[in-house]
Amino acid sequence: MKSFTKVKSIVTPFDQVNVDTDQIVPKQFLKLIQKSGFGKYLFYNWRYDSNEQPISDFVLNDSKYQNSKIFVTRDNFGCGSSREHAVWALQDFGFSVIIAPSFSDIFYSNCFKNGLLPIQLDSKIVDSIMNSNSEIEVDLESQTITTDFQTISFEIDPHKKKVLLEGLDDILLTLEYENKITDFEKKSNVPSVL
Amino acid sequence: MSKTLFEKIWDSHIVVEKENGPSLLYIDRHLVHEVTSPQAFEGLRMNKRKVRRPDLTIATMDHNVPTNDRSLPIIDQTSSIQIKTLEKNCQDFGINLFDIDSPYQGIVHVIGPQLGITLPGTTIVCGDSHTSTQGAFGALAFGIGTSEVEHVFVTQALWLEKLKPFEIRVEGKRKNPFAVTAKDIILSIIKKIGTAGGTGTVIEYTGEGITDLSMEQRMTICNMSVEAGARAGLIAPDEKTFDYLRGRKYTPENFDELVSVWKKDLYTDPNAKFEKSFTLKIDDIVPQVSWGTNPGMTSDVTDTVPDPKEFAKGDLAQQKSAEKALQYMDLKAGIPITEIQIDRVFIGSCTNARLEDLIDASRVVKGKKVSEKVSAMVVPGSQMVKKQAEKIGLDKIFKDANFEWRESGCSMCLGMNPDILSPGERCASTSNRNFEGRQGVGGRTHLVSPVMAAAAAIAGRFVDVREMDLN
């Protein structure tokens, strides 16, 4: 996984609550067996009309946000299906940071496995960030967001922060505890399903 | 120290515990399907890794599989590739697969319990959010992403932040338990606590409203815990749980021994503390019908489509979302739910496609015909459900009423196979998600119970199933 340090860009304001992963990547694109190339399917049913033409007033079709790396949205982002394709699509499209007042559990966890940084902030602060027209900077090391007017701190679990900063392989980290897993298996007696 | 059932299962599965950090939790059962696993298997190959415990892993294909004649080739090339990929992956990594021709094929959350793979007190994961279904057996069962699928393949364990125990007490007795179902209970709960009401929690359902339910009905409740935002749903095992599991294909030989251990361990201690609680009284609840684009947007069948402003109770973001939902659903505030006409009926999914669901729906349908304007289908949750249903003649009842009787799979719950709504079509569906486009781009989904779906199929619109004549 690529390491994450700092990101500076304008924000893409996505002013909707309860955005579910069925919208982030519609089911017709879940049949692929690789992780790459999902950016073109991001919000597909909202981005394109029935003739596959871009819908002009949809925010991701606004050229102003073309190089944005920071996606700002509302409560309960990523609810519904566990599909990690949602994270792959946001990332492949160019986003590195998602800011929202709350996230759905599985989506939140999936972000960290792919180097996408989800930041949870009070909804009033999210409001102010959503309305900012100039670039903001997100610095994971110092856990701060800097806008023209203020510096905002955010919380993140230290283990998750380390994994993102160093781009660590989660599985490799867990394998350091392999002896403990083996010990656990010796005392547990779960029936086989083979 | 007093503990909740969730905390007992959690504590007994900790491999590594870190202060103020996540714990490494041992996973007893890993269920795999074709959509969320290919990238995980690819990760194994790239890193030359193996599946640590193939003996604790099972796979089936459910999301993509066609539900019509299975002797025909799969037309959709991408679906076909995904299905073949799962076959190859299971072969290469030594995983037990119930493939499209297996008598045990079915929706992964339906076959887990039917095969006795789902056991009380165990931890169960699958790359699918509705894994929560299996919490009905007193197992800690939850959905994970594809990276975590790969992690469980290699380590048979998972790092998890401790979730918070949330008690939802269901009190009272339904006046008409045939017409007011488990689906109506869970939709009523989601309507009250909201689709994010359970975020960061594991819900334990308690109270006589829950213990009164059969195992299949309990699965419907736990299934939709994720629609309330919770990671998992949980119901303490009792005699019904043990009776259900006795004598199934993978039920352990020392089952009775296990039962006595489970009886000693698997319940919430009387003084244990939940971090959150909510009580629903069910004496007066009525059949539910969703009108919007998330499962919290639900009304009583006797009610009207709400005004977005009233629905949102002052929350502007929610109001905007309800307005958008009404526009997508092509509905106006104030119209009675029973005036909403439908085009399609889908009885299926991991929420409501088990044998009891089909028996109940068939009682509504028997001797009647599906409205001429409506096309209706029944998709049993598994091949085992299908066979049992056919044995007691349910297929004939449905077919005589002009329902299509299909092979098992996820089907039109999410339409990854050819079973989809056309743009603008309106469907009474026994599934779990009414998200925009879920059942087909531009399709409009109303979530209901199997008996309400059956009644709507006959009437061509939503009707209060309590008022139907039953055979």
Side-chain angles (χ1 to χ4, degrees):
Chain A
M1 195 169 80
K2 246 176 44 189
S3 64
F4 185 108
T5 47
K6 278 183 195 175
V7 169
K8 192 173 181 182
S9 93
I10 59 158
V11 305
T12 299
F14 207 83
D15 189 7
Q16 275 191 55
V17 288
N18 297 325
V19 174
D20 59 78
T21 53
D22 270 79
Q23 307 317 316
I24 303 173
V25 182
K27 47 52 188 330
Q28 60 269 38
F29 308 113
L30 300 185
K31 295 178 189 177
L32 303 176
I33 54 172
Q34 74 278 12
K35 283 187 187 179
S36 55
F38 281 94
K40 52 182 175 292
Y41 308 127
L42 181 67
F43 291 111
Y44 194 87
N45 295 348
W46 286 350
R47 232 164 107 196
Y48 300 102
D49 65 18
S50 51
N51 299 316
E52 303 193 341
Q53 294 304 305
I55 295 170
S56 59
D57 63 353
F58 185 65
V59 62
L60 294 191
N61 291 327
D62 188 334
S63 57
K64 194 161 105 191
Y65 303 114
Q66 212 170 22
N67 297 314
S68 168
K69 295 183 171 65
I70 303 168
F71 186 89
V72 186
T73 183
R74 299 289 183 192
D75 267 310
N76 201 25
F77 186 77
C79 60
S81 157
S82 63
R83 59 188 72 166
E84 200 162 314
H85 311 67
V87 172
W88 301 333
L90 284 158
Q91 219 170 15
D92 189 53
F93 190 83
F95 294 112
S96 313
V97 178
I98 317 282
I99 300 173
S102 62
F103 295 92
S104 161
D105 293 338
I106 304 179
F107 176 84
Y108 186 76
S109 156
N110 285 343
C111 286
F112 289 100
K113 313 291 177 190
N114 294 278
L116 182 66
L117 172 62
I119 300 177
Q120 196 170 346
L121 291 170
D122 181 80
S123 51
K124 288 205 177 92
I125 300 173
V126 172
D127 261 345
S128 72
I129 296 174
M130 194 172 280
N131 294 321
S132 92
N133 285 317
S134 44
E135 287 193 324
I136 69 167
E137 184 175 76
V138 175
D139 183 349
L140 177 58
E141 179 73 62
S142 66
Q143 295 180 219
T144 54
I145 298 171
T146 311
T147 72
D148 282 352
F149 309 103
Q150 56 183 336
T151 300
I152 302 152
S153 341
F154 61 87
E155 297 289 316
I156 180 169
D157 165 68
H159 172 77
K160 291 195 165 89
K161 179 177 174 179
K162 185 173 150 79
V163 167
L164 283 186
L165 280 174
E166 298 176 26
L168 300 171
D169 175 351
D170 235 10
I171 295 176
L172 214 56
L173 288 178
T174 307
L175 288 175
E176 288 174 15
Y177 297 99
E178 205 172 355
N179 287 341
K180 297 217 163 191
I181 298 172
T182 308
D183 288 348
F184 186 95
E185 284 174 330
K186 278 184 196 148
K187 59 182 174 107
S188 113
N189 209 358
V190 197
S192 149
V193 285
L194 255 192
Chain B
M1 203 187 90
S2 300
K3 286 181 183 177
T4 63
L5 172 58
F6 159 67
E7 288 163 326
K8 288 180 183 178
I9 303 174
W10 177 277
D11 289 353
S12 67
H13 286 81
I14 294 175
V15 178
V16 179
E17 198 169 17
K18 285 183 176 174
E19 222 176 302
N20 301 321
S23 296
L24 187 65
L25 223 57
Y26 196 77
I27 302 301
D28 297 322
R29 295 281 187 259
H30 188 189
L31 314 183
V32 176
H33 66 76
E34 77 277 20
V35 179
T36 54
S37 66
Q39 295 86 351
F41 281 114
E42 203 43 41
L44 296 183
R45 283 199 185 87
M46 274 162 48
N47 295 291
K48 300 197 167 45
R49 287 167 174 157
K50 285 188 194 155
V51 175
R52 182 181 176 91
R53 296 293 302 268
D55 61 320
L56 302 181
T57 311
I58 62 133
T60 193
M61 34 193 71
D62 52 8
H63 283 61
N64 268 295
V65 294
T67 56
N68 52 6
D69 188 349
R70 293 229 163 124
S71 61
L72 300 170
I74 298 171
I75 299 162
D76 182 334
Q77 280 306 307
T78 49
S79 283
S80 170
I81 289 169
Q82 208 168 48
I83 287 167
K84 284 187 185 133
T85 303
L86 183 66
E87 280 170 5
K88 178 163 179 6
N89 284 334
C90 287
Q91 211 167 33
D92 289 359
F93 291 93
I95 293 169
N96 196 1
L97 167 71
F98 304 116
D99 68 12
I100 197 162
D101 300 317
S102 164
Y104 305 115
Q105 182 272 343
I107 306 174
V108 64
H109 317 302
V110 176
I111 66 168
Q114 279 192 303
L115 290 169
I117 290 165
T118 307
L119 295 177
T122 56
T123 49
I124 304 174
V125 298
C126 173
D128 193 293
S129 60
H130 289 114
T131 310
S132 63
T133 314
Q134 300 171 65
F137 291 82
L140 179 59
F142 53 91
I144 56 177
T146 298
S147 296
E148 289 177 319
V149 169
E150 187 179 338
H151 191 280
V152 176
F153 277 155
V154 181
T155 66
Q156 201 59 33
L158 208 55
W159 291 101
L160 266 187
E161 305 281 342
K162 192 158 181 184
L163 296 152
K164 297 186 174 76
F166 179 6
E167 181 184 28
I168 295 189
R169 239 189 127 65
V170 180
E171 287 178 352
K173 289 211 179 284
R174 292 163 289 155
K175 290 200 182 81
N176 183 343
F178 174 77
V180 181
T181 67
K183 183 68 159 282
D184 303 300
I185 296 175
I186 188 66
L187 283 172
S188 299
I189 290 170
I190 300 167
K191 183 166 78 172
K192 295 259 165 60
I193 69 170
T195 53
T199 303
T201 74
V202 169
I203 298 174
E204 183 180 342
Y205 300 94
T206 62
E208 71 170 332
I210 295 298
T211 49
D212 277 353
L213 299 175
S214 70
M215 288 316 296
E216 298 199 349
Q217 293 164 336
R218 292 179 192 182
M219 284 190 251
T220 302
I221 301 274
C222 288
N223 171 275
M224 288 190 72
S225 302
V226 65
E227 267 60 65
R231 194 73 188 265
L234 201 54
I235 294 173
D238 59 12
E239 289 302 330
K240 286 183 191 170
T241 320
F242 309 137
D243 288 346
Y244 180 101
L245 290 170
R246 200 167 274 119
R248 294 189 181 258
K249 185 170 167 67
Y250 291 101
T251 303
E253 277 171 20
N254 61 339
F255 186 71
D256 288 324
E257 219 173 282
L258 289 171
V259 168
S260 56
V261 176
W262 292 333
K263 279 184 178 169
K264 270 200 306 221
D265 289 346
L266 296 179
Y267 55 85
T268 288
D269 294 329
N271 296 320
K273 274 212 172 75
F274 286 94
E275 296 210 20
K276 229 175 150 176
S277 60
F278 171 80
T279 301
L280 180 79
K281 292 198 164 53
I282 56 169
D283 307 81
D284 297 319
I285 68 165
V286 306
Q288 301 293 303
V289 180
S290 79
W291 49 265
T293 52
N294 76 48
M297 296 174 169
T298 293
S299 282
D300 292 352
V301 66
T302 48
D303 211 339
T304 54
V305 175
D307 176 61
K309 205 168 171 181
E310 278 165 34
F311 170 76
K313 297 189 184 85
D315 182 332
L316 280 179
Q318 291 289 357
Q319 185 182 329
K320 224 175 90 178
S321 152
E323 282 162 1
K324 188 172 186 286
L326 287 192
Q327 192 181 15
Y328 180 83
M329 294 296 289
D330 192 27
L331 291 173
K332 289 209 166 55
I335 62 160
I337 296 290
T338 50
E339 279 179 20
I340 301 172
Q341 312 241 341
I342 55 157
D343 310 299
R344 304 281 293 267
V345 169
F346 171 63
I347 297 179
S349 87
C350 57
T351 313
N352 278 129
R354 286 170 285 265
L355 188 63
E356 288 173 25
D357 296 320
L358 306 190
I359 291 174
D360 288 350
S362 77
R363 279 188 59 197
V364 176
V365 163
K366 195 174 182 184
K368 303 187 181 78
K369 294 278 182 212
V370 170
S371 161
E372 276 177 15
K373 301 174 302 185
V374 173
S375 128
M377 68 199 285
V378 181
V379 182
S382 70
Q383 287 298 306
M384 287 176 277
V385 171
K386 182 171 183 260
K387 215 177 219 170
Q388 290 166 326
E390 287 172 353
K391 212 168 151 186
I392 55 173
L394 301 189
D395 56 328
K396 192 168 178 324
I397 296 174
F398 283 113
K399 285 193 271 193
D400 283 350
N402 294 331
F403 270 86
E404 286 186 62
W405 179 255
R406 296 291 191 96
E407 301 292 333
S408 54
C410 300
S411 179
M412 218 210 290
C413 174
L414 85 168
M416 280 194 71
N417 74 347
D419 308 337
I420 56 169
L421 297 180
S422 300
E425 274 189 326
R426 190 180 294 285
C427 181
S429 178
T430 66
S431 56
N432 40 57
R433 289 184 178 140
N434 49 347
F435 297 153
E436 280 187 33
R438 170 86 177 176
Q439 295 192 291
V441 180
R444 299 176 177 128
T445 304
H446 294 270
L447 304 176
V448 287
S449 71
V451 287
M452 280 290 286
I458 306 301
R461 61 180 174 87
F462 290 110
V463 288
D464 188 339
V465 67
R466 292 175 301 175
E467 292 163 8
M468 296 273 291
D469 287 332
L470 300 178
N471 289 298

